[in-house]
Amino acid sequence: DYLAGLLAESIFTVDYTPSGYGDAVDEGIFTIPHSEKMTMRAYLDERKENIEEDIAYIQFQNNNLNEEFSPLLEDLNLEDMDFFWDIFKTRYSGSSNFREAL
């Protein structure tokens, strides 16, 4: 309920695939998901009604938190998440996504 209220009118990238596998080999074929932009309210309503045969999911990969889930940033206090910084500074320090964040 909290997320639905906070993000109701925010626009997200929703991906659809018949099997749930996107950017992956499925039955011998490399598949990419079909993507659509929609509000969180529309996405949640669609999930409740289950009117789509395809599997829908939100998984935008490039800076998802800052670009599509930015209202959640107020709920996060990354300075108090020492375990997070310890993991990402050591294990993922070569990743371009984390170099920008660190």
Side-chain angles (χ1 to χ4, degrees):
D1 290 340
Y2 175 73
L3 290 178
L6 180 67
L7 303 172
E9 300 308 317
S10 296
I11 303 291
F12 294 91
T13 304
V14 178
D15 286 350
Y16 293 88
T17 64
S19 64
Y21 298 117
D23 297 329
V25 176
D26 184 23
E27 297 184 19
I29 299 170
F30 183 78
T31 60
I32 59 172
H34 168 76
S35 296
E36 292 182 18
K37 297 282 189 180
M38 67 175 60
T39 64
M40 179 62 78
R41 181 184 315 279
Y43 172 75
L44 294 174
D45 288 347
E46 184 178 286
R47 301 292 26 101
K48 286 178 187 174
E49 295 173 14
N50 199 22
I51 59 175
E52 296 291 329
E53 292 181 13
D54 290 340
I55 297 171
Y57 52 94
I58 295 174
Q59 63 89 35
F60 185 70
Q61 296 179 17
N62 297 320
N63 208 7
N64 185 308
L65 180 60
N66 287 311
E67 291 189 21
E68 294 193 343
F69 285 90
S70 60
L72 296 177
L73 289 171
E74 294 178 18
D75 291 338
L76 301 175
N77 185 352
L78 296 179
E79 292 176 10
D80 288 339
M81 296 176 61
D82 291 336
F83 71 93
F84 171 86
W85 292 114
D86 289 345
I87 290 170
F88 286 104
K89 281 184 181 177
T90 57
R91 292 186 193 168
Y92 302 104
S93 61
S95 169
S96 62
N97 293 341
F98 294 113
R99 277 195 301 247
E100 293 171 13
L102 301 174

Coordinates of all heavy atoms in Angstrom, one line a residue, residues 22-75:
G22 N 13.8 -12.3 -20.1 CA 14.2 -11.2 -21.0 C 15.7 -11.0 -21.1 O 16.4 -11.3 -20.1
D23 N 16.2 -10.6 -22.2 CA 17.6 -10.5 -22.4 C 18.3 -11.9 -22.1 O 19.3 -11.9 -21.4 CB 18.2 -9.4 -21.6 CG 17.7 -8.0 -22.0 OD1 17.4 -7.8 -23.2 OD2 17.6 -7.2 -21.1
A24 N 17.6 -12.9 -22.6 CA 18.1 -14.3 -22.3 C 17.7 -15.2 -23.4 O 16.9 -14.9 -24.2 CB 17.5 -14.8 -21.0
V25 N 18.4 -16.4 -23.4 CA 18.0 -17.4 -24.4 C 16.9 -18.2 -23.8 O 16.9 -18.7 -22.7 CB 19.2 -18.3 -24.7 CG1 18.8 -19.5 -25.6 CG2 20.4 -17.5 -25.2
D26 N 15.8 -18.3 -24.6 CA 14.6 -19.0 -24.2 C 14.2 -19.9 -25.4 O 13.9 -19.4 -26.5 CB 13.5 -18.0 -23.9 CG 12.2 -18.6 -23.4 OD1 12.3 -19.8 -22.9 OD2 11.1 -18.0 -23.5
E27 N 14.2 -21.2 -25.1 CA 13.9 -22.2 -26.2 C 14.8 -22.0 -27.4 O 14.3 -22.0 -28.5 CB 12.4 -22.1 -26.5 CG 11.5 -22.5 -25.4 CD 10.0 -22.5 -25.7 OE1 9.7 -22.6 -27.0 OE2 9.2 -22.4 -24.8
G28 N 16.0 -21.7 -27.2 CA 17.0 -21.6 -28.2 C 17.1 -20.3 -29.0 O 17.8 -20.1 -29.9
I29 N 16.3 -19.3 -28.5 CA 16.2 -18.0 -29.2 C 16.5 -16.9 -28.2 O 16.0 -16.9 -27.0 CB 14.8 -17.8 -29.7 CG1 14.4 -18.8 -30.8 CG2 14.7 -16.4 -30.4 CD1 13.0 -18.8 -31.2
F30 N 17.4 -16.0 -28.6 CA 17.7 -14.9 -27.7 C 16.5 -13.9 -27.7 O 16.1 -13.5 -28.8 CB 19.0 -14.1 -28.1 CG 19.3 -13.0 -27.2 CD1 19.9 -13.3 -26.0 CD2 19.0 -11.7 -27.5 CE1 20.3 -12.2 -25.1 CE2 19.3 -10.7 -26.7 CZ 20.0 -10.9 -25.5
T31 N 15.9 -13.6 -26.6 CA 14.8 -12.8 -26.5 C 15.0 -11.5 -25.8 O 15.9 -11.5 -24.8 CB 13.6 -13.5 -25.8 OG1 14.0 -13.8 -24.5 CG2 13.2 -14.8 -26.5
I32 N 14.4 -10.5 -26.2 CA 14.4 -9.2 -25.4 C 12.9 -8.9 -25.1 O 12.0 -9.2 -25.9 CB 15.1 -8.0 -26.2 CG1 14.4 -7.8 -27.5 CG2 16.5 -8.3 -26.4 CD1 14.9 -6.6 -28.3
P33 N 12.7 -8.2 -24.0 CA 11.3 -8.0 -23.6 C 10.7 -6.8 -24.4 O 11.4 -5.9 -24.9 CB 11.4 -7.6 -22.1 CG 12.8 -7.1 -22.0 CD 13.6 -7.8 -23.0
H34 N 9.4 -6.8 -24.5 CA 8.7 -5.7 -25.0 C 8.6 -4.7 -23.9 O 8.2 -5.1 -22.8 CB 7.3 -6.1 -25.5 CG 6.4 -4.9 -25.8 ND1 6.5 -4.2 -26.9 CD2 5.4 -4.4 -25.1 CE1 5.6 -3.2 -26.9 NE2 4.9 -3.4 -25.8
S35 N 8.9 -3.4 -24.1 CA 8.8 -2.4 -23.0 C 7.7 -1.4 -23.3 O 7.5 -1.0 -24.4 CB 10.2 -1.7 -22.9 OG 11.2 -2.6 -22.5
E36 N 7.1 -1.0 -22.2 CA 6.1 0.1 -22.2 C 6.3 1.0 -21.0 O 6.7 0.5 -20.0 CB 4.6 -0.5 -22.2 CG 4.2 -1.3 -23.4 CD 2.8 -1.8 -23.3 OE1 2.0 -1.2 -22.4 OE2 2.4 -2.7 -24.0
K37 N 5.9 2.2 -21.2 CA 5.9 3.2 -20.0 C 4.4 3.2 -19.5 O 3.5 3.2 -20.3 CB 6.3 4.6 -20.5 CG 7.7 4.7 -21.0 CD 8.7 4.7 -19.9 CE 10.1 5.0 -20.5 NZ 11.0 5.0 -19.4
M38 N 4.3 3.1 -18.2 CA 3.0 3.3 -17.5 C 3.2 3.7 -16.1 O 4.3 3.7 -15.6 CB 2.2 1.9 -17.6 CG 2.8 0.8 -16.8 SD 1.8 -0.7 -16.8 CE 1.7 -1.1 -18.5
T39 N 2.1 4.2 -15.5 CA 2.1 4.6 -14.1 C 2.1 3.3 -13.2 O 1.7 2.3 -13.6 CB 0.9 5.4 -13.7 OG1 -0.3 4.6 -13.9 CG2 0.8 6.7 -14.6
M40 N 2.6 3.5 -12.0 CA 2.6 2.4 -11.1 C 1.2 2.0 -10.8 O 0.9 0.8 -10.7 CB 3.3 2.9 -9.8 CG 3.3 1.8 -8.7 SD 4.2 0.3 -9.2 CE 5.9 0.8 -8.9
R41 N 0.3 2.9 -10.7 CA -1.2 2.5 -10.5 C -1.6 1.6 -11.6 O -2.3 0.6 -11.4 CB -2.0 3.8 -10.5 CG -3.5 3.5 -10.2 CD -4.4 4.7 -10.3 NE -3.8 5.9 -9.6 CZ -3.9 6.1 -8.2 NH1 -4.5 5.2 -7.5 NH2 -3.4 7.2 -7.7
A42 N -1.4 2.0 -12.9 CA -1.8 1.1 -14.0 C -1.1 -0.3 -14.0 O -1.8 -1.3 -14.2 CB -1.5 1.8 -15.3
Y43 N 0.2 -0.3 -13.6 CA 0.9 -1.6 -13.5 C 0.3 -2.4 -12.4 O 0.0 -3.6 -12.6 CB 2.4 -1.3 -13.2 CG 3.2 -2.5 -12.9 CD1 3.5 -3.4 -13.9 CD2 3.5 -2.8 -11.6 CE1 4.2 -4.6 -13.6 CE2 4.2 -4.0 -11.3 CZ 4.6 -4.9 -12.3 OH 5.3 -6.0 -12.0
L44 N 0.0 -1.9 -11.2 CA -0.6 -2.7 -10.1 C -2.0 -3.1 -10.5 O -2.4 -4.2 -10.2 CB -0.5 -1.9 -8.8 CG 0.9 -1.6 -8.3 CD1 0.8 -0.6 -7.1 CD2 1.6 -2.9 -8.0
D45 N -2.8 -2.2 -11.1 CA -4.1 -2.6 -11.5 C -4.1 -3.8 -12.5 O -4.8 -4.7 -12.4 CB -4.9 -1.5 -12.1 CG -5.3 -0.4 -11.1 OD1 -5.2 -0.7 -9.9 OD2 -5.7 0.7 -11.5
E46 N -3.1 -3.7 -13.4 CA -3.0 -4.8 -14.4 C -2.6 -6.1 -13.7 O -3.1 -7.2 -14.1 CB -1.9 -4.4 -15.5 CG -1.8 -5.4 -16.6 CD -0.7 -4.9 -17.6 OE1 -1.1 -4.0 -18.4 OE2 0.4 -5.5 -17.6
R47 N -1.7 -6.0 -12.8 CA -1.3 -7.2 -12.1 C -2.5 -7.8 -11.3 O -2.6 -9.0 -11.2 CB -0.1 -6.9 -11.1 CG 1.1 -6.4 -11.7 CD 1.9 -7.3 -12.7 NE 1.4 -8.3 -13.4 CZ 1.0 -8.3 -14.7 NH1 1.1 -7.3 -15.4 NH2 0.5 -9.4 -15.3
K48 N -3.3 -7.0 -10.7 CA -4.5 -7.5 -9.9 C -5.4 -8.2 -10.8 O -6.0 -9.2 -10.5 CB -5.1 -6.4 -9.1 CG -4.4 -5.9 -8.0 CD -5.1 -4.7 -7.3 CE -4.2 -4.1 -6.2 NZ -4.9 -2.9 -5.6
E49 N -5.7 -7.6 -12.0 CA -6.7 -8.1 -12.9 C -6.1 -9.3 -13.7 O -6.8 -10.1 -14.2 CB -7.1 -7.1 -13.9 CG -7.9 -5.9 -13.2 CD -8.1 -4.8 -14.2 OE1 -8.0 -5.0 -15.4 OE2 -8.5 -3.7 -13.7
N50 N -4.8 -9.4 -13.8 CA -4.1 -10.4 -14.5 C -4.6 -10.6 -15.9 O -4.9 -11.7 -16.3 CB -4.1 -11.7 -13.7 CG -3.0 -12.7 -14.1 OD1 -2.0 -12.3 -14.7 ND2 -3.3 -14.0 -13.9
I51 N -4.8 -9.5 -16.6 CA -5.4 -9.5 -17.9 C -4.4 -9.8 -19.0 O -4.8 -10.2 -20.1 CB -6.2 -8.2 -18.2 CG1 -5.2 -7.0 -18.1 CG2 -7.3 -8.0 -17.3 CD1 -5.8 -5.7 -18.5
E52 N -3.2 -9.7 -18.7 CA -2.2 -10.0 -19.7 C -1.7 -11.4 -19.7 O -1.6 -12.0 -18.6 CB -0.9 -9.1 -19.5 CG -1.2 -7.6 -19.7 CD -1.5 -7.2 -21.2 OE1 -1.0 -7.9 -22.1 OE2 -2.3 -6.3 -21.4
E53 N -1.5 -12.0 -20.8 CA -1.0 -13.4 -20.8 C 0.5 -13.4 -20.6 O 1.1 -14.3 -20.1 CB -1.3 -14.0 -22.2 CG -2.8 -14.3 -22.3 CD -3.1 -15.0 -23.6 OE1 -2.1 -15.5 -24.3 OE2 -4.3 -15.1 -24.0
D54 N 1.2 -12.3 -21.0 CA 2.6 -12.2 -20.8 C 2.9 -11.9 -19.4 O 2.1 -11.3 -18.7 CB 3.2 -11.1 -21.7 CG 3.2 -11.5 -23.2 OD1 3.1 -12.7 -23.5 OD2 3.3 -10.6 -24.0
I55 N 4.2 -12.2 -19.0 CA 4.7 -11.8 -17.7 C 5.2 -10.4 -17.7 O 6.0 -10.1 -18.5 CB 5.7 -12.8 -17.2 CG1 5.1 -14.2 -17.1 CG2 6.4 -12.4 -15.9 CD1 6.1 -15.3 -16.9
A56 N 4.7 -9.5 -16.8 CA 5.1 -8.1 -16.8 C 5.9 -7.9 -15.5 O 5.7 -8.5 -14.5 CB 3.9 -7.2 -16.7
Y57 N 7.0 -7.1 -15.7 CA 7.9 -6.8 -14.6 C 8.6 -5.5 -14.8 O 8.7 -5.0 -15.9 CB 8.9 -8.0 -14.3 CG 9.7 -8.3 -15.6 CD1 10.9 -7.8 -15.8 CD2 9.2 -9.2 -16.5 CE1 11.6 -8.1 -16.9 CE2 9.9 -9.6 -17.6 CZ 11.1 -9.0 -17.8 OH 11.8 -9.3 -19.0
I58 N 8.9 -4.9 -13.7 CA 9.7 -3.6 -13.7 C 11.1 -4.0 -13.4 O 11.4 -4.5 -12.3 CB 9.1 -2.6 -12.6 CG1 7.7 -2.2 -13.0 CG2 10.0 -1.4 -12.5 CD1 7.0 -1.4 -11.9
Q59 N 12.0 -3.6 -14.3 CA 13.4 -4.0 -14.1 C 14.4 -3.1 -14.8 O 15.4 -3.5 -15.2 CB 13.6 -5.5 -14.5 CG 13.4 -5.8 -16.0 CD 14.6 -5.6 -16.8 OE1 15.7 -5.9 -16.4 NE2 14.4 -5.1 -18.1
F60 N 14.0 -1.9 -15.1 CA 14.8 -1.0 -15.8 C 16.2 -1.0 -15.2 O 16.4 -0.8 -14.0 CB 14.2 0.4 -15.7 CG 14.9 1.5 -16.4 CD1 14.9 1.6 -17.8 CD2 15.6 2.5 -15.8 CE1 15.5 2.6 -18.5 CE2 16.2 3.5 -16.4 CZ 16.2 3.6 -17.8
Q61 N 17.2 -1.3 -15.9 CA 18.6 -1.6 -15.4 C 19.5 -0.4 -15.2 O 20.5 -0.5 -14.5 CB 19.2 -2.7 -16.2 CG 18.5 -3.9 -16.2 CD 19.1 -5.0 -17.1 OE1 20.3 -4.9 -17.5 NE2 18.4 -6.0 -17.4
N62 N 19.3 0.7 -15.9 CA 20.3 1.7 -15.9 C 19.9 2.9 -14.9 O 19.2 3.8 -15.3 CB 20.5 2.3 -17.3 CG 21.0 1.2 -18.2 OD1 21.9 0.4 -17.8 ND2 20.5 1.2 -19.4
N63 N 20.4 2.8 -13.7 CA 20.1 3.8 -12.7 C 18.6 3.9 -12.3 O 18.1 4.9 -12.1 CB 20.6 5.2 -13.2 CG 21.0 6.1 -12.0 OD1 21.0 5.6 -10.9 ND2 21.3 7.3 -12.4
N64 N 18.0 2.7 -12.2 CA 16.6 2.6 -11.9 C 16.2 3.4 -10.6 O 15.2 4.1 -10.6 CB 16.3 1.1 -11.7 CG 14.9 0.8 -11.4 OD1 14.2 1.4 -10.6 ND2 14.3 -0.2 -12.2
L65 N 17.0 3.3 -9.6 CA 16.6 4.0 -8.3 C 16.5 5.5 -8.5 O 15.6 6.1 -8.1 CB 17.6 3.6 -7.2 CG 17.3 4.3 -5.9 CD1 16.0 3.9 -5.3 CD2 18.4 3.9 -4.9
N66 N 17.5 6.1 -9.2 CA 17.5 7.5 -9.4 C 16.5 8.0 -10.4 O 15.9 9.0 -10.3 CB 18.9 8.0 -9.7 CG 19.8 8.0 -8.6 OD1 19.5 8.5 -7.5 ND2 21.0 7.4 -8.8
E67 N 16.3 7.2 -11.5 CA 15.5 7.6 -12.6 C 14.0 7.3 -12.5 O 13.2 8.1 -12.8 CB 16.1 7.1 -13.9 CG 17.4 7.7 -14.3 CD 17.9 7.4 -15.6 OE1 17.0 7.0 -16.5 OE2 19.1 7.5 -15.9
E68 N 13.7 6.1 -12.0 CA 12.3 5.7 -12.0 C 11.7 5.6 -10.5 O 10.5 5.6 -10.4 CB 12.1 4.5 -12.8 CG 12.4 4.7 -14.3 CD 11.9 3.6 -15.1 OE1 11.6 2.5 -14.6 OE2 11.7 3.8 -16.4
F69 N 12.6 5.3 -9.6 CA 12.1 5.2 -8.2 C 12.6 6.3 -7.3 O 12.7 6.1 -6.1 CB 12.6 3.8 -7.7 CG 11.8 2.6 -8.2 CD1 12.2 2.0 -9.3 CD2 10.7 2.2 -7.5 CE1 11.5 0.9 -9.8 CE2 10.0 1.1 -8.0 CZ 10.4 0.5 -9.2
S70 N 12.9 7.4 -7.8 CA 13.5 8.5 -7.1 C 12.7 8.9 -5.8 O 13.3 9.4 -4.8 CB 13.8 9.7 -7.9 OG 12.7 10.2 -8.6
P71 N 11.3 8.8 -5.8 CA 10.6 9.2 -4.6 C 11.0 8.3 -3.4 O 10.9 8.7 -2.3 CB 9.2 8.9 -5.0 CG 9.1 9.1 -6.4 CD 10.4 8.6 -6.9
L72 N 11.6 7.1 -3.7 CA 12.1 6.3 -2.6 C 13.4 6.7 -1.9 O 13.7 6.3 -0.8 CB 12.2 4.8 -3.1 CG 11.0 4.1 -3.5 CD1 11.3 2.8 -4.1 CD2 10.0 4.0 -2.4
L73 N 14.1 7.6 -2.6 CA 15.4 8.0 -2.1 C 15.3 8.7 -0.7 O 16.2 8.6 0.1 CB 16.1 9.0 -3.1 CG 16.6 8.3 -4.3 CD1 17.1 9.4 -5.3 CD2 17.7 7.4 -4.0
E74 N 14.1 9.4 -0.5 CA 13.9 10.0 0.8 C 13.8 9.0 1.9 O 14.1 9.3 3.1 CB 12.7 10.9 0.8 CG 12.8 12.0 -0.2 CD 11.5 12.8 -0.2 OE1 10.6 12.7 0.7 OE2 11.3 13.6 -1.2
D75 N 13.5 7.8 1.6 CA 13.3 6.7 2.6 C 14.7 6.0 2.9 O 14.8 5.3 3.9 CB 12.3 5.6 2.1 CG 10.9 6.1 2.1 OD1 10.6 7.1 2.8 OD2 10.1 5.6 1.4

